[in-house]
Amino acid sequence: MSFVYSAHRILRDPDRVVGIICVTPQEFIGAIIDLELLPHQKKYRYEHISTPCTMGNETFGVHSRPSYILPSYSLEPVPRLVPWLSDFHLSLVLPVAAYWFMSLVFWYIDKQKYFVRYRLHTPEEFKQRNGVTVAEVLRSVLLQQAIQTALGLFLGYVTQAGDLYGSKEYDIAVWARRVHSVTDAIPWILRLMGIDVRTLSRNLEVYTASSAVFTAKPFTFVDSIINPYLGESSSTYGFAPWEIRVAKTIYWILEPAARFGIAVFFSDSWQYFWHRNLHAHHHKIYIPYAFGAFYNTLTEAFILDTIGTTLSLMLSGLTIRQTMCFSTISVMKGVDDHCGYRLPWDPLQWLGEQDTRFHDVHHQSWGIK
């Protein structure tokens, strides 16, 4: 088995030229493969040699399926969501548009005296207690957004920001290979637990041959969600079908969710640790309102918002369209937290305990800091 493990490791090393593969629970040793990485291409050339391999005094049959075949691909720019505006520029425009649209909605609600029963403060408190005028707040927010947008345009020009597509099948195959690598460790784990792998393999063969339990496809639920929209791969690239299904689940669901989680965690942590030293200026607004959500000094806006958001996006590896969603939802949540209304049907106030009421207490001189 040490020879088999070494063969797996050699094949997976992209710097090697020759690899040997072994598959199946019966410990067959696969074919010797001439593996050549073509320069500047995500593509492998395989030559399958159909000869048995000998180890000791035993000769093992050759497994006829070459493994770890990664498909070639070519990248192209993602088609624009808006024909006359690139996705990158749209990612800069949408958060600003969401900020002012939501602020205007709450301003209209306030002027028309809708939902008075859900207001946290009276208009008199708003006029008397705030330490900064509405005009000052508007000028500050507009200046910040202009500077942040200009910086975003500059960074986009320098980095040539843009999403590319065309590597979906390759990326799924890579995840399938990782899943396969994880399953390689299972026999070793079972042996450490004192389980006889060969006996277990034979028992499973007998059981699956006599039982209808394993006739149903695994991951049927995942298939029902993903496949109607994404379709099945034309090839499994040498992997088992269940490995491809797990890889698709990771690629389409788990990986994006993890990236969003990393972005949220880093952004919130950054805001928390910088908050006490830089955030006092914002708290001149004792009675929060939607327009004042991003009222800060230029220093605070640059460190907390610009740098913090940029680092969170870089560390998480979000695509431009994912960034679009993350930034826009973050802005909408910020405006909603400052709106001054505790609306029970507002979905943004269901995202955790830090809703409008919590943030209102936070803004008071005696509140949570």
Side-chain angles (χ1 to χ4, degrees), residues 183-219:
T183 61
D184 284 347
I186 293 176
W188 300 97
I189 295 173
L190 293 176
R191 287 187 177 187
L192 290 174
M193 297 170 61
I195 299 174
D196 188 338
V197 179
R198 293 186 179 185
T199 302
L200 178 62
S201 177
R202 294 190 190 99
N203 291 341
L204 284 175
E205 284 186 5
V206 173
Y207 183 66
T208 53
S210 60
S211 173
V213 173
F214 286 89
T215 57
K217 286 174 62 178
F219 299 97

Short mmCIF file of all heavy atoms in Angstrom, two decimals, residues 183-219:
data_model
loop_
_atom_site.label_atom_id
_atom_site.label_comp_id
_atom_site.label_asym_id
_atom_site.label_seq_id
_atom_site.Cartn_x
_atom_site.Cartn_y
_atom_site.Cartn_z
N THR A 183 -11.15 11.17 -0.11
CA THR A 183 -11.59 9.78 0.03
C THR A 183 -10.41 8.81 0.08
O THR A 183 -10.53 7.72 0.64
CB THR A 183 -12.52 9.38 -1.12
OG1 THR A 183 -11.81 9.50 -2.37
CG2 THR A 183 -13.75 10.26 -1.16
N ASP A 184 -9.27 9.20 -0.50
CA ASP A 184 -8.08 8.34 -0.42
C ASP A 184 -7.64 8.12 1.01
O ASP A 184 -7.00 7.11 1.33
CB ASP A 184 -6.93 8.98 -1.20
CG ASP A 184 -7.10 8.82 -2.71
OD1 ASP A 184 -7.96 8.02 -3.11
OD2 ASP A 184 -6.39 9.51 -3.45
N ALA A 185 -7.94 9.09 1.87
CA ALA A 185 -7.49 8.98 3.27
C ALA A 185 -8.39 8.07 4.09
O ALA A 185 -8.01 7.67 5.20
CB ALA A 185 -7.45 10.38 3.90
N ILE A 186 -9.58 7.75 3.57
CA ILE A 186 -10.53 6.95 4.36
C ILE A 186 -9.96 5.59 4.75
O ILE A 186 -10.07 5.18 5.91
CB ILE A 186 -11.87 6.83 3.61
CG1 ILE A 186 -12.54 8.20 3.52
CG2 ILE A 186 -12.79 5.83 4.31
CD1 ILE A 186 -13.82 8.22 2.72
N PRO A 187 -9.36 4.81 3.82
CA PRO A 187 -8.80 3.51 4.24
C PRO A 187 -7.76 3.63 5.35
O PRO A 187 -7.72 2.81 6.26
CB PRO A 187 -8.17 2.98 2.94
CG PRO A 187 -8.92 3.64 1.85
CD PRO A 187 -9.21 5.01 2.37
N TRP A 188 -6.93 4.68 5.29
CA TRP A 188 -5.92 4.86 6.32
C TRP A 188 -6.56 5.19 7.66
O TRP A 188 -6.12 4.70 8.71
CB TRP A 188 -4.95 5.96 5.91
CG TRP A 188 -4.26 5.67 4.63
CD1 TRP A 188 -4.60 6.10 3.38
CD2 TRP A 188 -3.12 4.82 4.45
NE1 TRP A 188 -3.74 5.60 2.44
CE2 TRP A 188 -2.81 4.80 3.07
CE3 TRP A 188 -2.31 4.09 5.32
CZ2 TRP A 188 -1.75 4.09 2.54
CZ3 TRP A 188 -1.24 3.38 4.80
CH2 TRP A 188 -0.97 3.37 3.43
N ILE A 189 -7.62 6.01 7.62
CA ILE A 189 -8.32 6.35 8.87
C ILE A 189 -8.98 5.11 9.46
O ILE A 189 -8.94 4.87 10.68
CB ILE A 189 -9.37 7.45 8.60
CG1 ILE A 189 -8.67 8.75 8.17
CG2 ILE A 189 -10.22 7.71 9.84
CD1 ILE A 189 -9.61 9.84 7.71
N LEU A 190 -9.59 4.29 8.59
CA LEU A 190 -10.23 3.07 9.07
C LEU A 190 -9.21 2.12 9.68
O LEU A 190 -9.48 1.46 10.69
CB LEU A 190 -10.98 2.39 7.92
CG LEU A 190 -12.19 3.13 7.36
CD1 LEU A 190 -12.77 2.39 6.17
CD2 LEU A 190 -13.25 3.30 8.44
N ARG A 191 -8.05 2.04 9.08
CA ARG A 191 -7.01 1.17 9.63
C ARG A 191 -6.54 1.67 10.99
O ARG A 191 -6.28 0.87 11.90
CB ARG A 191 -5.83 1.10 8.66
CG ARG A 191 -6.13 0.27 7.43
CD ARG A 191 -4.90 0.07 6.57
NE ARG A 191 -5.18 -0.79 5.43
CZ ARG A 191 -4.27 -1.24 4.59
NH1 ARG A 191 -3.00 -0.90 4.76
NH2 ARG A 191 -4.60 -2.02 3.58
N LEU A 192 -6.42 2.98 11.14
CA LEU A 192 -6.03 3.53 12.44
C LEU A 192 -7.09 3.22 13.50
O LEU A 192 -6.78 3.10 14.69
CB LEU A 192 -5.83 5.04 12.34
CG LEU A 192 -4.59 5.50 11.55
CD1 LEU A 192 -4.59 7.02 11.41
CD2 LEU A 192 -3.31 5.04 12.26
N MET A 193 -8.35 3.09 13.06
CA MET A 193 -9.44 2.75 13.97
C MET A 193 -9.54 1.25 14.23
O MET A 193 -10.42 0.80 14.96
CB MET A 193 -10.76 3.28 13.40
CG MET A 193 -10.82 4.79 13.29
SD MET A 193 -12.27 5.36 12.35
CE MET A 193 -13.59 4.73 13.40
N GLY A 194 -8.65 0.49 13.58
CA GLY A 194 -8.64 -0.95 13.79
C GLY A 194 -9.61 -1.72 12.93
O GLY A 194 -9.93 -2.88 13.22
N ILE A 195 -10.09 -1.10 11.84
CA ILE A 195 -11.05 -1.76 10.96
C ILE A 195 -10.31 -2.40 9.79
O ILE A 195 -9.46 -1.75 9.16
CB ILE A 195 -12.09 -0.74 10.43
CG1 ILE A 195 -12.87 -0.16 11.61
CG2 ILE A 195 -13.03 -1.39 9.43
CD1 ILE A 195 -13.83 0.95 11.22
N ASP A 196 -10.62 -3.65 9.50
CA ASP A 196 -10.00 -4.37 8.39
C ASP A 196 -10.64 -3.89 7.09
O ASP A 196 -11.81 -4.19 6.81
CB ASP A 196 -10.19 -5.87 8.57
CG ASP A 196 -9.40 -6.67 7.53
OD1 ASP A 196 -9.07 -6.11 6.48
OD2 ASP A 196 -9.11 -7.85 7.79
N VAL A 197 -9.89 -3.14 6.30
CA VAL A 197 -10.45 -2.53 5.10
C VAL A 197 -10.85 -3.57 4.06
O VAL A 197 -11.89 -3.47 3.42
CB VAL A 197 -9.43 -1.53 4.49
CG1 VAL A 197 -9.99 -0.90 3.22
CG2 VAL A 197 -9.08 -0.44 5.50
N ARG A 198 -10.04 -4.60 3.89
CA ARG A 198 -10.33 -5.62 2.88
C ARG A 198 -11.62 -6.36 3.22
O ARG A 198 -12.46 -6.59 2.35
CB ARG A 198 -9.17 -6.59 2.76
CG ARG A 198 -7.90 -5.97 2.21
CD ARG A 198 -6.83 -7.01 1.98
NE ARG A 198 -5.62 -6.41 1.43
CZ ARG A 198 -4.57 -7.10 1.04
NH1 ARG A 198 -4.57 -8.42 1.14
NH2 ARG A 198 -3.50 -6.48 0.55
N THR A 199 -11.76 -6.71 4.49
CA THR A 199 -12.99 -7.41 4.91
C THR A 199 -14.21 -6.52 4.73
O THR A 199 -15.26 -6.97 4.25
CB THR A 199 -12.87 -7.85 6.38
OG1 THR A 199 -11.72 -8.68 6.53
CG2 THR A 199 -14.11 -8.60 6.82
N LEU A 200 -14.07 -5.25 5.10
CA LEU A 200 -15.18 -4.31 4.94
C LEU A 200 -15.56 -4.17 3.48
O LEU A 200 -16.74 -4.12 3.12
CB LEU A 200 -14.79 -2.95 5.52
CG LEU A 200 -15.83 -1.82 5.39
CD1 LEU A 200 -17.11 -2.18 6.15
CD2 LEU A 200 -15.26 -0.50 5.90
N SER A 201 -14.57 -4.10 2.58
CA SER A 201 -14.82 -3.97 1.15
C SER A 201 -15.59 -5.17 0.62
O SER A 201 -16.57 -5.02 -0.12
CB SER A 201 -13.51 -3.80 0.40
OG SER A 201 -13.73 -3.74 -0.99
N ARG A 202 -15.17 -6.38 1.02
CA ARG A 202 -15.86 -7.58 0.55
C ARG A 202 -17.30 -7.62 1.08
O ARG A 202 -18.24 -7.97 0.36
CB ARG A 202 -15.09 -8.82 0.99
CG ARG A 202 -13.71 -8.96 0.36
CD ARG A 202 -13.12 -10.32 0.65
NE ARG A 202 -11.72 -10.38 0.25
CZ ARG A 202 -10.71 -10.23 1.08
NH1 ARG A 202 -10.93 -10.04 2.38
NH2 ARG A 202 -9.46 -10.30 0.64
N ASN A 203 -17.49 -7.25 2.34
CA ASN A 203 -18.84 -7.26 2.92
C ASN A 203 -19.75 -6.26 2.22
O ASN A 203 -20.94 -6.53 2.00
CB ASN A 203 -18.76 -6.95 4.41
CG ASN A 203 -18.11 -8.07 5.21
OD1 ASN A 203 -18.04 -9.21 4.73
ND2 ASN A 203 -17.63 -7.75 6.41
N LEU A 204 -19.20 -5.10 1.88
CA LEU A 204 -20.01 -4.09 1.19
C LEU A 204 -20.40 -4.58 -0.20
O LEU A 204 -21.52 -4.33 -0.67
CB LEU A 204 -19.23 -2.78 1.08
CG LEU A 204 -19.13 -1.95 2.36
CD1 LEU A 204 -18.22 -0.74 2.14
CD2 LEU A 204 -20.51 -1.49 2.82
N GLU A 205 -19.49 -5.27 -0.89
CA GLU A 205 -19.80 -5.81 -2.20
C GLU A 205 -20.96 -6.80 -2.12
O GLU A 205 -21.89 -6.77 -2.93
CB GLU A 205 -18.57 -6.48 -2.80
CG GLU A 205 -17.54 -5.52 -3.34
CD GLU A 205 -16.41 -6.26 -4.03
OE1 GLU A 205 -16.51 -7.50 -4.16
OE2 GLU A 205 -15.44 -5.60 -4.44
N VAL A 206 -20.91 -7.67 -1.12
CA VAL A 206 -21.98 -8.67 -0.95
C VAL A 206 -23.29 -7.98 -0.61
O VAL A 206 -24.35 -8.32 -1.15
CB VAL A 206 -21.58 -9.68 0.15
CG1 VAL A 206 -22.76 -10.61 0.46
CG2 VAL A 206 -20.37 -10.48 -0.28
N TYR A 207 -23.21 -6.96 0.27
CA TYR A 207 -24.43 -6.29 0.71
C TYR A 207 -25.10 -5.51 -0.43
O TYR A 207 -26.31 -5.57 -0.62
CB TYR A 207 -24.12 -5.35 1.86
CG TYR A 207 -25.33 -4.66 2.44
CD1 TYR A 207 -26.31 -5.40 3.11
CD2 TYR A 207 -25.51 -3.29 2.32
CE1 TYR A 207 -27.42 -4.78 3.64
CE2 TYR A 207 -26.62 -2.66 2.84
CZ TYR A 207 -27.57 -3.41 3.50
OH TYR A 207 -28.68 -2.79 4.01
N THR A 208 -24.29 -4.76 -1.19
CA THR A 208 -24.87 -3.97 -2.27
C THR A 208 -25.41 -4.86 -3.38
O THR A 208 -26.34 -4.47 -4.10
CB THR A 208 -23.80 -3.03 -2.87
OG1 THR A 208 -22.65 -3.79 -3.23
CG2 THR A 208 -23.42 -1.95 -1.88
N ALA A 209 -24.86 -6.04 -3.54
CA ALA A 209 -25.37 -6.95 -4.57
C ALA A 209 -26.70 -7.56 -4.17
O ALA A 209 -27.50 -7.94 -5.02
CB ALA A 209 -24.35 -8.07 -4.82
N SER A 210 -26.96 -7.63 -2.86
CA SER A 210 -28.18 -8.30 -2.39
C SER A 210 -29.22 -7.34 -1.84
O SER A 210 -30.31 -7.77 -1.45
CB SER A 210 -27.83 -9.32 -1.30
OG SER A 210 -27.22 -8.65 -0.20
N SER A 211 -28.90 -6.05 -1.76
CA SER A 211 -29.81 -5.09 -1.14
C SER A 211 -30.21 -4.02 -2.13
O SER A 211 -29.43 -3.62 -2.98
CB SER A 211 -29.15 -4.45 0.08
OG SER A 211 -29.96 -3.43 0.60
N ALA A 212 -31.44 -3.58 -1.97
CA ALA A 212 -31.93 -2.50 -2.85
C ALA A 212 -31.68 -1.13 -2.25
O ALA A 212 -32.03 -0.12 -2.84
CB ALA A 212 -33.43 -2.67 -3.11
N VAL A 213 -31.05 -1.12 -1.06
CA VAL A 213 -30.85 0.16 -0.38
C VAL A 213 -29.97 1.09 -1.20
O VAL A 213 -30.20 2.29 -1.30
CB VAL A 213 -30.23 -0.07 1.01
CG1 VAL A 213 -29.86 1.26 1.66
CG2 VAL A 213 -31.17 -0.87 1.88
N PHE A 214 -28.93 0.52 -1.84
CA PHE A 214 -27.96 1.34 -2.55
C PHE A 214 -28.29 1.52 -4.02
O PHE A 214 -27.49 2.03 -4.78
CB PHE A 214 -26.57 0.71 -2.43
CG PHE A 214 -25.98 0.88 -1.06
CD1 PHE A 214 -26.22 -0.06 -0.08
CD2 PHE A 214 -25.22 1.99 -0.76
CE1 PHE A 214 -25.69 0.10 1.18
CE2 PHE A 214 -24.68 2.15 0.51
CZ PHE A 214 -24.92 1.20 1.49
N THR A 215 -29.47 1.07 -4.44
CA THR A 215 -29.81 1.25 -5.85
C THR A 215 -30.22 2.68 -6.16
O THR A 215 -30.13 3.11 -7.30
CB THR A 215 -30.96 0.30 -6.24
OG1 THR A 215 -32.09 0.56 -5.39
CG2 THR A 215 -30.53 -1.16 -6.08
N ALA A 216 -30.71 3.40 -5.15
CA ALA A 216 -31.09 4.80 -5.38
C ALA A 216 -29.85 5.66 -5.52
O ALA A 216 -28.83 5.41 -4.89
CB ALA A 216 -31.93 5.31 -4.21
N LYS A 217 -29.93 6.67 -6.38
CA LYS A 217 -28.78 7.55 -6.58
C LYS A 217 -28.55 8.41 -5.34
O LYS A 217 -29.49 8.97 -4.78
CB LYS A 217 -29.04 8.49 -7.77
CG LYS A 217 -28.96 7.83 -9.12
CD LYS A 217 -29.37 8.81 -10.20
CE LYS A 217 -28.44 10.00 -10.22
NZ LYS A 217 -28.79 10.95 -11.28
N PRO A 218 -27.31 8.51 -4.89
CA PRO A 218 -27.03 9.46 -3.81
C PRO A 218 -27.11 10.88 -4.34
O PRO A 218 -27.05 11.13 -5.53
CB PRO A 218 -25.59 9.10 -3.39
CG PRO A 218 -25.00 8.51 -4.63
CD PRO A 218 -26.13 7.80 -5.34
N PHE A 219 -27.26 11.83 -3.41
CA PHE A 219 -27.30 13.26 -3.75
C PHE A 219 -28.46 13.59 -4.70
O PHE A 219 -28.35 14.47 -5.53
CB PHE A 219 -25.96 13.72 -4.37
CG PHE A 219 -24.80 13.55 -3.45
CD1 PHE A 219 -23.98 12.43 -3.55
CD2 PHE A 219 -24.54 14.48 -2.47
CE1 PHE A 219 -22.92 12.27 -2.69
CE2 PHE A 219 -23.48 14.33 -1.61
CZ PHE A 219 -22.67 13.22 -1.71
#
